[in-house]
Amino acid sequence: MPDKKIRIVVAKPGLDGHDRGAKVIARALRDAGMEVIYTGLRQTPEQIVTTAIQEDADGIGISILSGAHEFYFRRIIELLKEKNASDVIVFGGGVIPEQDVPALLKMGAGAIFGPGTSTVTAVDWIKKAVSEKDAVKA
Amino acid sequence: MASLTDKALAGDPRAVARLISMAENRDEGLDSLMKELYLAPSAGKAWVVGVTGSPGAGKSTLTDKLIEQLRAKGERVGVLAVDPSSPYTGGAILADRLRMQRHTDDSGVFIRSLAARGSLGGLSRGTREGVLILDACGFDVIIIETVGVGQSEIDIMRVADSVCVVLVPGLGDDVQAMKAGIMEIADLFVVNKADKQGADRLVNEVRAVLEFLQNKDWVPTIDRTVAETGDGVPSLVENLERHREYAKARGRERERARMRARIEDIIVDRLSLQASKLLEAKEAEILPAVMDRKLDPYSAADMILAE
């Protein structure tokens, strides 16, 4: 009677101290029945990836408002590869200009949810992405 | 290809994490992996410390400081931190590690958050297996932080060698300290937030309760701490180490009780799984009669068990 729950690390890399968006998405994922590992502010990419591995997370959601999204996405995706964990899906939100999104997706980000995205959209996307990932593994 | 347990025993954190998930999810095949780990030469050596107490008492912050002190002594530390699941959606926000994140870069520390997933005793379904996994994989000390508990969530005493009960001033009068349940399972009391008003009174109340225990061979210690600053934590660690030695000396007795409980848990788990299967098979047939009061639930249970 296996009873798997979707586990998502919600992280806030970088130095700005605004974690409202991260908290809103954490709450929405919780209400959708997921287990959310909330790591709080000012996380380094190394800390985020180690957390995702120890927590056996299905995905990492990162909230970035500082403008450094390209750096953080690149580094996190690189580290996941290095640690043999590139099956972990990576998605993000925050203040990310639309013209930067294609580059992030090309890098390996699964989805970018801009301001105004309904939490339902994010929840549905995560559920679908995780079930596809598990189907590949099985 | 090396098996999952081989990889975990060799120290691969991903494999360790995956095994813990399998335990949480009750995956098929779990039992045989656990058998392998229980009999591994590295298993059975870890010291298991429980940290329990009410929500907001400072358990996570205290655990963070304990990790720091134990790492300074060269111990490899595993942490299992349990937070509640929603009774409505099954979802959870697991935020205990928020207070311990600075240890994430240290490969001698492995922190895992567990959602209670319907367990009521302060632990989660996968906690017991989590201990076995971390133990077999070479962690010297395993700290279990329970869900923020009330008065009777005492499962931790069936898992931990040394139990710390964390109290904070301002939550009740001296009659609270006399009550049964969680106050009885402490090997060590911690009065945290000891810089707050009422801490002296709380220490005295706990001391008054302990006076009745003076003839026991281990009298629970009382430490005053301010986990936020680390004040008082070194003395707590000294007392913990003393209790570790004490527990080791009379280990077999406690171990016997614990292993008995463990076997009982496994039997109950399996029987309850069987029971839900039996019920599921018969429910359509029997339930309407019970609801219409033509059959009582006790006879219904007899009928199902007679199958």
Side-chain angles (χ1 to χ4, degrees):
Chain A
M1 227 184 18
D3 170 24
K4 185 187 184 295
K5 292 257 185 267
I6 296 179
R7 291 170 66 87
I8 303 289
V9 170
V10 170
K12 181 76 188 57
L15 296 176
D16 76 283
H18 303 281
D19 58 355
R20 200 182 153 80
K23 282 179 174 155
V24 168
I25 190 73
R27 185 66 207 271
L29 301 186
R30 184 201 86 171
D31 289 343
M34 300 181 197
E35 292 181 353
V36 179
I37 298 96
Y38 189 74
T39 63
L41 293 168
R42 298 187 194 91
Q43 297 293 301
T44 64
E46 285 76 7
Q47 285 175 318
I48 293 169
V49 168
T50 303
T51 299
I53 287 175
Q54 293 183 347
E55 298 288 353
D56 195 20
D58 299 291
I60 300 176
I62 49 188
S63 162
I64 302 179
L65 304 165
S66 63
H69 38 269
E70 185 172 337
F71 166 77
Y72 285 117
F73 271 97
R74 187 182 300 285
R75 188 74 189 120
I76 286 169
I77 290 164
E78 249 172 36
L79 283 167
L80 284 170
K81 259 189 212 131
E82 261 172 44
K83 305 203 172 190
N84 228 343
S86 38
D87 56 308
V88 175
I89 60 176
V90 180
F91 60 96
V95 187
I96 296 171
E98 228 163 89
Q99 67 265 27
D100 293 357
V101 171
L104 299 179
L105 296 178
K106 198 164 164 237
M107 227 179 256
I112 303 295
F113 303 108
T117 311
S118 126
T119 54
V120 178
T121 312
V123 165
D124 288 346
W125 181 84
I126 294 166
K127 283 186 175 165
K128 191 159 163 272
V130 171
S131 78
E132 279 166 8
K133 166 183 92 99
D134 287 350
V136 171
K137 235 184 336 194
Chain B
M1 205 177 79
S3 76
L4 194 57
T5 45
D6 287 341
K7 283 192 205 162
L9 289 170
D12 173 358
R14 244 206 139 193
V16 174
R18 193 51 55 82
L19 281 171
I20 298 176
S21 298
M22 290 181 71
E24 288 199 277
N25 299 342
R26 287 281 173 273
D27 272 345
E28 319 249 344
L30 176 72
D31 287 5
S32 68
L33 295 176
M34 291 300 123
K35 287 176 199 170
E36 224 177 290
L37 290 180
Y38 188 86
L39 299 176
S42 53
K45 299 197 172 80
W47 174 36
V48 184
V49 175
V51 177
T52 188
S54 43
K59 296 181 295 295
S60 303
T61 311
L62 193 66
T63 301
D64 170 66
K65 295 297 193 296
L66 289 177
I67 299 171
E68 181 181 14
Q69 300 265 323
L70 292 164
R71 286 300 291 148
K73 293 171 192 280
E75 313 265 19
R76 298 188 69 219
V77 183
V79 177
L80 298 169
V82 192
D83 261 334
S85 297
S86 160
Y88 299 109
T89 65
I93 302 266
L94 309 173
D96 287 330
R97 74 176 295 143
L98 184 65
R99 321 249 172 247
M100 313 169 197
Q101 262 318 66
R102 65 187 170 126
H103 300 292
T104 301
D105 291 325
D106 177 352
S107 64
V109 179
F110 187 100
I111 302 169
R112 177 59 178 258
S113 316
L114 303 171
R117 299 196 185 179
S119 272
L120 294 177
L123 301 182
S124 78
R125 256 186 351 198
T127 309
R128 288 181 182 83
E129 287 85 0
V131 169
L132 170 53
I133 293 161
L134 292 175
D135 169 28
C137 296
F139 289 90
D140 306 305
V141 185
I142 299 163
I143 303 177
I144 304 173
E145 182 189 331
T146 72
V147 173
V149 298
Q151 299 180 310
S152 56
E153 291 82 355
I154 54 174
D155 279 359
I156 187 67
M157 77 176 196
R158 298 175 94 179
V159 186
D161 299 303
S162 306
V163 176
C164 297
V165 172
V166 185
L167 304 170
V168 282
L171 288 185
D173 61 17
D174 55 340
V175 183
Q176 296 298 334
M178 288 162 55
K179 286 190 180 170
I182 190 170
M183 293 298 289
E184 290 177 288
I185 64 166
D187 299 304
L188 304 100
F189 282 103
V190 183
V191 172
N192 192 34
K193 307 192 186 180
D195 53 344
K196 292 251 172 5
Q197 204 189 352
D200 291 335
R201 219 184 89 188
L202 180 56
V203 169
N204 286 333
E205 284 162 7
V206 176
R207 198 171 283 149
V209 173
L210 297 182
E211 267 170 24
F212 295 103
L213 303 176
Q214 288 307 332
N215 51 356
K216 280 207 172 178
D217 53 352
W218 172 269
V219 178
T221 53
I222 310 174
D223 275 291
R224 307 170 54 121
T225 59
V226 182
E228 196 70 46
T229 62
D231 280 359
V233 177
S235 153
L236 170 62
V237 171
E238 261 173 50
N239 281 328
L240 267 169
E241 291 283 358
R242 277 206 303 125
H243 189 267
R244 180 189 203 168
E245 291 310 312
Y246 165 81
K248 223 186 269 169
R250 56 170 287 252
R252 283 210 69 85
E253 193 188 323
R254 195 161 172 161
E255 188 66 8
R256 193 187 141 83
R258 193 181 309 158
M259 280 310 150
R260 192 181 180 286
R262 187 78 197 91
I263 297 169
E264 191 177 337
D265 284 341
I266 294 169
I267 295 174
V268 169
D269 253 12
R270 292 192 186 166
L271 287 178
S272 112
L273 186 64
Q274 235 176 324
S276 18
K277 276 188 192 150
L278 281 174
L279 179 58
E280 218 167 288
K282 282 273 161 192
E283 118 184 75
E285 188 182 322
I286 288 177
L287 213 51
V290 177
M291 293 178 72
D292 295 340
R293 299 211 161 233
K294 291 189 180 114
L295 179 70
D296 67 276
Y298 301 92
S299 309
D302 286 338
M303 286 167 66
I304 291 170
L305 285 176
E307 285 294 306

